[in-house]
Structures are given as C-alpha cells and as structure tokens.
Amino acid sequence: MTEKIIIAGEGGQGIMLLGKVLAEAAMLEGRFVTWLPSYGAEVRGGTAHCMVIVSDEQIGSPYIKQADSAIIMNNPSFERFKDRVQKKGLIIANSSLVPPPQESGRRFVFHPFTSLAIGAGNIKVANMVAIGCFIRITGLVKKESVLKVIQAHTPAGRQEVGEVNKRALAEGMALA
Amino acid sequence: MTGSKKKMLISGNEAIGAGAIRAGCVFYAGYPITPQNELTSYMAEHMPAAGRVFIQAESELAAINMVFGAAAAGARAMTSSSSPGVSLKQEGISYIAGAQLPAVIVNIMRGGPGLGNISPSQSDYFQATRSGGHGDYHSIVLAPASVPEAYTLMQRAFALSETYRGPVILLGDGMLGQMMEVVELDTGTKAPAVTKKPWALTGCKGRQPNIVRSIYLKEGALEKFNLLLQKKYHLIRQREQRYESFAVDDARVIIVAYGTMARIAKQAVMALRKKGKKAGLIRPITLWPFPASAFSVLGRPRQKFLVTEMSYGQMLEDVRLTLEGRAEVSFLGRAGGGIPSEEEITARAMRLLQ
C-alpha cells in the first residue's frame, strides 16, 4: 500500500511540521517514507506545502503529481491543490479559512481546525487538530505513534507545549 | 556503545552533514545558498558542539581556500555549495588537485546557467566529471540516490580523498538535498579512521620541512608531475568504479540514470516489468570514474539504451563513449526545473521496445 499526501496552507501554520509528524509516525511503524518541502523564497503569510509518501515498498520519486489525499489549511492552497487529488481521493480542509465548495464528487471533509485550535488553547496547534482528523478517517498511522512523535518534539521543560498539541490531536480525532 | 544505531527522519542535506561528522571531518567552511542551506546550518550547529571548526566564510572563494589551507595542515576538511557557488570554487579545486590534498566538496545542484533558479537539476555533470577547473586533473565524483546513501557515501568520500590525496565531489540535486527519508545514524562511539599524513604542514621542528605546492617551473618537472597524476587516475579507474544494476540480464531496453533520476527510472522499470516488458536499470554511483564495467557485457544485438537526466544530455556522452557504438543510445532529458516523469520514461521505453 502506498499513500501520497499533499499538505498545504499558509507559512506559519505549521505545514512542514504537520507533514513531518505524519512521516515520523509512519517511520515508527516501520514504513518507508519520504517528505519533500516546497523550498526557497517561502515567507510567513505566503503559501507553503509539503509532500509525504508512506509506503510498504521502497519509494521512487518523492514528488507527487497526483495525490491520494490532501490536508488543506487555507483557501489559496485549496484552489491550487484541489485538482491535484485523484478523483476518488480525500480532501480534508480547514473550514475556518476555506469556504466549503459547491461541487461534489470528491470526498471533502471540512472542519474548523483553526477555531478548534483556539479552543484547545493555542491557534498554532490547528495542524495537530488536522492530523487527528486525518488519521481517524484514513487510519494511516496509529494515534499512539503520533503521540510518541509529539513527545519527542516537545522541548525539555516545556511539557505544556506537548500537552496542548496532544489535546489538539484528541480534538481532531473526535471530529471524524 | 560501538555498534548503536538511531533511526531518524532527516533531509539529504542533514544526512550529508551527519555523514561528514561521523567520518571525522574537523573543518567546514561554506557560504549559504539554496538548496543546500540545511547542510551549512547543520554544520553550524553540530561542528562546534563536537569541538570542531565551522566557519561561515565571506564568499565561496574564501571557503574553498580555507579548505585548501586546512587540508594542507592535515585536517579532514570540506566545503559545500550549490551550482553557481561551486563554479566560484573551481580555481581552488584545481589547486587542491595540483597540490595533491584530500578535500571533499559537496554540490547540491540547482538550475542554471548563471544564477538560474533553485529547482533540482543535474546540469553540473560536465563540470564535476571533466575537472571543472584548469589543468589535467580529475575529482572522484559520487552520486547518492537516497538520503541514507548520502550519509554513507559522504563517509566514503573522505576515505577516498585521503587514499588518493585529491578532491572528491559529492554530487546531488536539490530534490535529494531537500527531501527527508529515514536514515539509521551510527551513534556508536567508535572513532573515525586516522590516516597518516607525513606530507602535511604540521610544524617542522625536528624534521625536514614539507612543501605543499602546485607550481613546477623546472624544465620537465610539471610533465613528470602530470604523469604521476595520470598514474593515480588510472589506478582509480581500475579500482573505484561503483554502480547498481537492476534487472539488466534479460533486458531489451536498459535505462541509465543517476541520483534522483535513478529513483524515478527504477519506478519506470518496475512498471514496465509488471507489463511483462524487458526493461532494466544501470545506476552509476561513481560518475568519475564512470562505471564502464557495468556495460562490459551489455550492448548485445537489439539491446537498446535510454539515458535520462535532469539536463540536456551530459552523462549521455559517457554512456556513448563507453558503448563505442555497440548499441543504440536514446536520450530523455529536461532541465531548468523540469524533471522527466515516470510516465515519460515508460512511454519512451515502450517506443524503443517496439
């Protein structure tokens, strides 16, 4: 099984980290993974994206032309990437910043990740709410693996940072 | 603790840095440029922490000449940059080759010519494998195709540079530098191998002074020195060719690709095999010396070759020179940010198979 995921949003929303947390969780489960960022003249407020591939086999190109799923955190990214997801693919989007579209056909899941993050105590953890929602629907990685990754990234002596991220993950998992 | 490993998700740039530190690199000088900045940044953090030297130089030229000096003093030294920056280093690399000093130069290639752009590219193959600077010299050129391989080849790069006392270039593209994969980092406490360097400038108290130079003005001296270099290059050609070959034995079309392109080409080969098409892959790991041995039994009648690169045909010349007209060689290349896709490669291979 191979899952190709595009993750996109605005610089500052933790898009790169979102992808890395997913990829590291898959690594802990012994899968092959690649993570490829958009790089170069990226700025806070501009768009940012990364591409994550999780597979049971060796991965060729880390570049994704057509994705199986996407996690979209703002509207410009939705416009840019919605057609890059295969016809039967899944798009999980942040309804706090992306107005749900009229069209149907693709599997759209809309939830207000930003608002939920504010509710969880920090706007910056909208990415973890989105991961929670994504893994609950797809079952790509286990919750325990993501929790381990969050713990590993929590700075020493800043346990509250880890806690708010874990809370956000739980909020996301309760959504789907 | 000697055999411990730690699995980590890191970028190609970081893996190169980790490999260098593991190999006992004690001196790094560099100047920032995308898409290799994570390497400079990794070294800025980890070299001082390991009690070694990190210098952000004022220019690429300064960085390569600092490496020249450090290597002359016997230090295991490296620099890194991306295409335009590596062009600036060419004079220094020629001097390092002329002075027979070990040093490692990393080039994470971007689109050119000129300042070009920051997209992945393989357009510096000629520069890396045909000397790049002036004079009849060669650098050994290593081309990893994955992040774990970047980690191990970087360690090999230092070993080769000291065995043959010359510059070794690690040649990757922007995608390899930026992408992350899982690497098993060696966290053991085993110290890196020590190479005896009786030629190094270490202070001559109690011994004859050493001289490190690349100038030979006495009649006949430079020719004699060049013949010595040629002997060394002959030895390297005989001993250091490396490649991976995949499904070539019964193949009717053999794709030749290195670095990131080899990953895409391998996908294409697997897709073709699934359809029952006899395709194979040769992936050069050393670009210089070019792995001619991979082709020695190939080039049978009706066997065709397809070279694919992120350039307009550079390694293609080495494949043609190696096959000496024994087989038909086709080419599929894009550059300036374009990357030949699996579908494009598959379609071209299918046409060749008809």
Side-chain angles (χ1 to χ4, degrees), chain A residues 9-30:
Chain A
E10 186 177 314
Q13 280 185 310
I15 300 300
M16 300 300 156
L17 183 65
L18 200 169
K20 272 187 222 175
V21 170
L22 268 183
E24 282 187 30
M27 169 184 85
L28 292 180
E29 294 181 10

Side-chain angles (χ1 to χ4, degrees), chain B residues 119-139:
Chain B
S119 305
S121 168
Q122 295 181 321
S123 299
D124 303 349
Y125 180 95
F126 281 154
Q127 185 193 60
T129 58
R130 268 72 174 160
S131 309
H134 60 283
D136 271 306
Y137 75 93
H138 281 288
S139 308

Side-chain angles (χ1 to χ4, degrees), chain A residues 72-90:
Chain A
I72 307 284
M73 299 299 281
N74 77 345
N75 200 40
S77 302
F78 184 77
E79 291 304 323
R80 182 170 168 196
F81 289 109
K82 66 177 179 355
D83 295 327
R84 292 276 292 275
V85 178
Q86 57 143 310
K87 282 281 180 302
K88 286 179 182 168
L90 167 74

Side-chain angles (χ1 to χ4, degrees), chain A residues 4 20 23-24 27 30-31 33-37 39-41 57-63 65, chain B residues 7-9 34-35 118-120 174-175 178-182 260 263-264 266-267 270 341 343:
Chain A
K4 299 180 177 184
K20 272 187 222 175
E24 282 187 30
M27 169 184 85
R31 318 282 295 279
V33 292
T34 58
W35 174 94
L36 182 72
Y39 62 90
E57 292 162 22
Q58 257 187 7
I59 300 163
S61 173
Y63 184 80
K65 218 155 59 170
Chain B
K7 262 191 179 183
M8 285 188 72
L9 182 75
T34 305
I118 58 170
S119 305
M175 193 177 278
Q178 291 293 320
M179 73 181 288
M180 285 192 176
E181 282 186 293
V182 179
T260 294
R263 302 172 69 106
I264 303 171
K266 197 170 190 177
Q267 264 185 328
M270 289 195 289
S341 67
E343 293 76 17

